[in-house]
Amino acid sequence: MMGQTMSFIGKAWNALGDAALWAYEDVSIYRQAREPASPIDKAEALQRLQQAEYREVERVKDISAADFAERYLMRRQPVIVTDGLRDWPARDGWSFDSFSREFGDMTVQLQDAGFRPGAKAKLGSYLAEVASRPPVALGELNRDLDYLRYTYDSYFKHLLFTWGFGHRVKTDSFSFVAFQRIREQWRRPYFLPAGGYRIPWVQVGELQPNERMCQDWGLYFSAPGACTRLHVDGMRSNAVLCQIAGTKAGWIFSPSLEGAARCAAEGKPADDFPGHGDDAADRIWRFDLMPGEIMLIPRGLSHEVHTLSPSISLTYNFVTKGEWQEYFRYKKARGAGWIAGSPISAVPEFERIYRGGAGTAAAPADKELHLA
């Protein structure tokens, strides 16, 4: 009884921190005028992209939480941890068949490449269709089968899940029901710190993302040719993309290229934000994400993700205490996230870049690093 009481008090105290943070962000960022940024036009945007340093996302394994934070998280460098799912039962237990057996009778609402709600479908039928599709090459788009990303129920129930009270909630949302049932099959990745978070707010205990639904948590099911268009996550926080089945590929753009990438994708001027320090360098990272791997997409960086073979992913977002002040400065300057109206992969000039044509030569992939 004492343990349950302390658990309840801890969850309530963390929830209070979350609420205070949301109120502070609303007043200090969303209700404040943002400094105007100079626009960039398409010709200059394409030139910047062609002249940028083009590299592969670094791949590591056996990395400690301290090294991960110092080398990648705090420096806002994307990285793929190739053994990221090494202690997850989900690594071998999740499949299209397993989800169909467990949840196949549920009705779900799909979403298009811009996160807009699409058709409703029986989950079992949808998963069978996804699993039957043949692999595609990067840049090959197929718009006739949408994603299953995240299904919603009510704002109040969402709050209960994010504050750690969701496992007793009655719901008919696939995301919420799945979160309740599969919590023993995944956990916080071994290389992420146990505590010291500000999003979600962790003042008491450790962060257990399989018990407390983090910001933008979701199971993603997608068919070959599906694309999440160029975008910046809505809260501009860090994302971990955990690949369970299938392969994904795409690009991440340095902070200095946010406006150029958006302008190139949409074909119209966009805000060109100045970089600071290491953020001033123009870089494009190409990635290939394989089953069992987890990729860090650092806070605030624009990215586009393509599904190459039938895919199951899990993702969530976070911000640590050490990033806190810079996160607010950056978000206050640039505002909330966005999603482009068109994929950047469809721009011919960018296609020549990522296929190794004239303008920018693709750098060789970094070797996988073993960091004990």
Side-chain angles (χ1 to χ4, degrees):
M1 180 64 71
M2 179 63 72
Q4 292 179 346
T5 301
M6 293 302 295
S7 175
F8 178 84
I9 292 174
K11 290 177 180 179
W13 192 247
N14 286 332
L16 183 62
D18 269 343
L21 168 64
W22 296 339
Y24 178 69
E25 278 202 88
D26 187 58
V27 172
S28 64
I29 295 178
Y30 296 116
R31 295 182 184 273
Q32 297 295 321
R34 184 165 56 83
E35 289 287 333
S38 300
I40 185 172
D41 61 26
K42 187 172 182 178
E44 183 182 357
L46 291 172
Q47 183 180 39
R48 291 271 298 281
L49 294 175
Q50 290 166 353
Q51 294 176 347
E53 179 185 1
Y54 192 80
R55 56 167 65 175
E56 299 280 341
V57 171
E58 190 173 337
R59 307 172 73 82
V60 303
K61 65 180 180 180
D62 289 328
I63 186 169
S64 68
D67 282 346
F68 176 82
E70 179 182 353
R71 294 169 61 95
Y72 304 105
L73 186 61
M74 300 306 295
R75 295 180 182 179
R76 299 175 71 199
Q77 298 291 307
V79 65
I80 292 173
V81 182
T82 60
D83 61 349
L85 273 63
R86 68 185 187 188
D87 56 354
W88 288 22
R91 173 66 180 87
D92 299 315
W94 288 3
S95 67
F96 290 94
D97 286 342
S98 68
F99 276 98
S100 185
R101 288 194 301 269
E102 180 74 14
F103 306 102
D105 290 336
M106 296 190 71
T107 298
V108 296
Q109 186 166 50
L110 309 180
Q111 293 179 317
D112 67 11
F115 301 103
R116 292 173 301 190
K120 291 186 177 181
K122 284 291 186 181
L123 181 61
S125 299
Y126 170 76
L127 294 180
E129 179 67 16
V130 169
S132 71
R133 298 293 179 97
V136 301
L138 178 60
E140 185 179 343
L141 299 178
N142 185 346
R143 297 182 173 90
D144 68 348
L145 190 61
D146 287 337
Y147 275 102
L148 172 58
R149 289 189 179 90
Y150 182 79
T151 57
Y152 202 68
D153 192 326
S154 72
Y155 182 64
F156 177 68
K157 290 180 182 179
H158 178 73
L159 288 180
L160 292 177
F161 273 85
T162 59
W163 290 343
F165 297 102
H167 297 304
R168 298 183 182 276
V169 172
K170 292 184 178 180
T171 176
D172 59 2
S173 157
F174 166 67
S175 292
F176 288 176
V177 171
F179 189 84
Q180 291 171 328
R181 293 186 189 175
I182 65 175
R183 57 183 175 177
E184 301 300 326
Q185 301 170 30
W186 70 284
R187 57 184 62 91
R188 185 183 66 247
Y190 76 88
F191 53 85
L192 286 183
Y197 291 88
R198 287 297 175 263
I199 297 177
W201 194 277
V202 180
Q203 302 175 84
V204 178
E206 298 180 349
L207 175 62
Q208 302 296 342
N210 58 335
E211 298 289 336
R212 178 182 180 185
M213 184 179 278
C214 292
Q215 179 192 96
D216 291 335
W217 183 89
L219 278 169
Y220 283 37
F221 298 88
S222 54
C227 166
T228 301
R229 297 195 304 258
L230 180 74
H231 68 286
V232 172
D233 290 352
M235 291 288 287
R236 290 188 176 270
S237 46
N238 302 299
V240 282
L241 177 53
C242 311
Q243 193 66 15
I244 288 77
T247 59
K248 290 187 173 182
W251 308 274
I252 301 172
F253 298 85
S254 63
S256 60
L257 286 178
E258 179 177 334
R262 185 175 188 180
C263 175
E266 296 187 326
K268 59 184 179 181
D271 287 343
D272 188 27
F273 301 101
H276 301 277
D278 291 340
D279 287 354
D282 288 349
R283 295 192 181 98
I284 303 171
W285 290 273
R286 153 78 190 263
F287 65 84
D288 292 279
L289 190 65
M290 310 299 290
E293 299 180 340
I294 297 179
M295 182 170 66
L296 170 72
I297 303 175
R299 54 186 167 82
L301 301 195
S302 50
H303 51 285
E304 181 166 293
V305 182
H306 291 248
T307 300
L308 305 187
S309 61
S311 173
I312 304 173
S313 306
L314 182 149
T315 186
Y316 69 88
N317 287 43
F318 66 93
V319 175
T320 64
K321 181 179 179 180
E323 305 171 277
W324 186 239
Q325 291 183 341
E326 174 59 20
Y327 163 79
F328 260 100
R329 182 199 67 78
Y330 189 83
K331 190 172 179 180
K332 191 170 184 179
R334 302 197 180 203
W338 50 266
I339 185 163
S342 302
I344 196 169
S345 62
V347 177
E349 294 87 349
F350 186 72
E351 183 178 4
R352 286 196 289 272
I353 294 173
Y354 74 78
R355 295 199 187 281
T360 301
D366 293 317
K367 293 181 179 179
E368 183 179 272
L369 300 181
H370 182 100
L371 299 173

